[in-house]
Amino acid sequence: MSLPALFDRIPEAFVDRWDPERPWDLLGETLDAVLGDLPIQRLDSPVSPEIHLVGEKIVLGKGVRIAPGVVLEGPVFIGADTEIRPGAYIRGGSWIGSGCVIGASTEIKHSILFDGARAPHLNYVGDSILGEGVNLGAGTILSNFRHDGGQIVLVGDDGPRETGRRKLGAVLGDDVATGCNCVLHPGCLVGRETQLYPGVQLRSGIYSHRRIVKLEQSLELVERR
């Protein structure tokens, strides 16, 4: 059984190595190779002294706006017109497309963000892929590592799929949106245009496209004495 619909298009840097049945493989040797081909440094946007550049192979496209206090570790690619807000930490090994938003105190680690993806408020994005137009609500966490250190396996309607990875966060299709304070457990694949309500704890697995994931809870009001 095929995976749910994810992306309209794949960034040119990755399209030749794209396997629609194993999208997480982009985070392995493919991402390493793409970043390995970057020049030692190319800064097509101004960088103020308040921005910390660490290591080599740091590429910034035109129109990138970086606020004071940001830390960028190479290798990293950041596409044109992306905004990086105060205190963001982009760890080495990430590829960020054009028109993205990386918010204040957000951490990005070994991830791929397609054009227009947004992690704008207090987010953690680890070993993940965000499709075009993805928006993470404030405090959304894409967790990437099991406590037992075991391989991450995705379970869908057709049974388990071994990823071969010990670190894997989420693969989010185009225009997926998460509400505030969502936590996605290691190994979540979410089809395009699916929405997660605030506070959802999404267990590892494969989730269809164009769905709404609701959180059900009950509240008890007790009179104060």
Side-chain angles (χ1 to χ4, degrees):
M1 183 177 178
S2 297
L3 295 178
L6 288 170
F7 311 120
D8 264 348
R9 55 191 171 194
I10 307 301
E12 184 176 354
F14 301 98
V15 68
D16 290 340
R17 309 184 195 191
W18 164 248
D19 181 350
E21 292 303 311
R22 295 184 59 85
W24 49 84
D25 282 350
L26 290 184
L27 295 168
E29 294 179 358
T30 295
L31 178 56
D32 292 341
V34 168
L35 296 174
D37 288 340
L38 296 177
I40 295 299
Q41 189 174 88
R42 192 184 75 213
L43 307 178
D44 294 334
S45 296
V47 177
S48 74
E50 292 83 12
I51 297 165
H52 305 280
L53 303 183
V54 181
E56 299 180 338
K57 294 187 177 295
I58 297 175
V59 174
L60 304 180
K62 294 181 179 179
V64 173
R65 303 177 301 285
I66 307 178
V70 169
V71 177
L72 300 179
E73 290 183 356
V76 62
F77 173 90
I78 300 174
D81 300 317
T82 283
E83 178 185 1
I84 306 176
R85 295 172 177 169
Y89 177 26
I90 301 179
R91 295 166 59 178
S94 291
W95 190 97
I96 298 170
S98 299
C100 295
V101 176
I102 311 299
S105 300
T106 289
E107 180 178 350
I108 308 291
K109 181 259 178 186
H110 199 258
S111 294
I112 300 171
L113 277 65
F114 290 15
D115 292 351
R118 298 167 58 89
H121 306 290
L122 304 169
N123 305 121
Y124 176 72
V125 179
D127 296 274
S128 296
I129 301 172
L130 276 58
E132 292 187 7
V134 165
N135 189 78
L136 303 183
T140 292
I141 304 297
L142 307 184
S143 182
N144 63 336
F145 187 69
R146 291 166 49 112
H147 285 174
D148 63 4
Q151 180 192 175
I152 294 172
V153 177
L154 277 64
V155 178
D157 293 339
D158 57 343
R161 293 182 183 234
E162 295 186 357
T163 66
R165 299 185 59 86
R166 292 177 61 248
K167 290 189 176 183
L168 176 63
V171 178
L172 305 183
D174 294 342
D175 298 313
V176 165
T178 70
C180 295
N181 292 325
C182 286
V183 177
L184 279 67
H185 294 200
C188 287
L189 186 145
V190 182
R192 60 176 300 146
E193 298 178 54
T194 284
Q195 297 180 352
L196 278 63
Y197 273 24
V200 165
Q201 297 259 347
L202 198 65
R203 295 185 177 275
S204 304
I206 299 171
Y207 298 86
S208 189
H209 58 285
R210 293 188 57 81
R211 297 293 191 271
I212 294 177
V213 182
K214 298 182 178 182
L215 173 67
E216 293 186 359
Q217 64 179 5
S218 61
L219 300 175
E220 181 180 1
L221 300 179
V222 179
E223 183 179 355
R224 294 183 62 180
R225 297 184 181 181

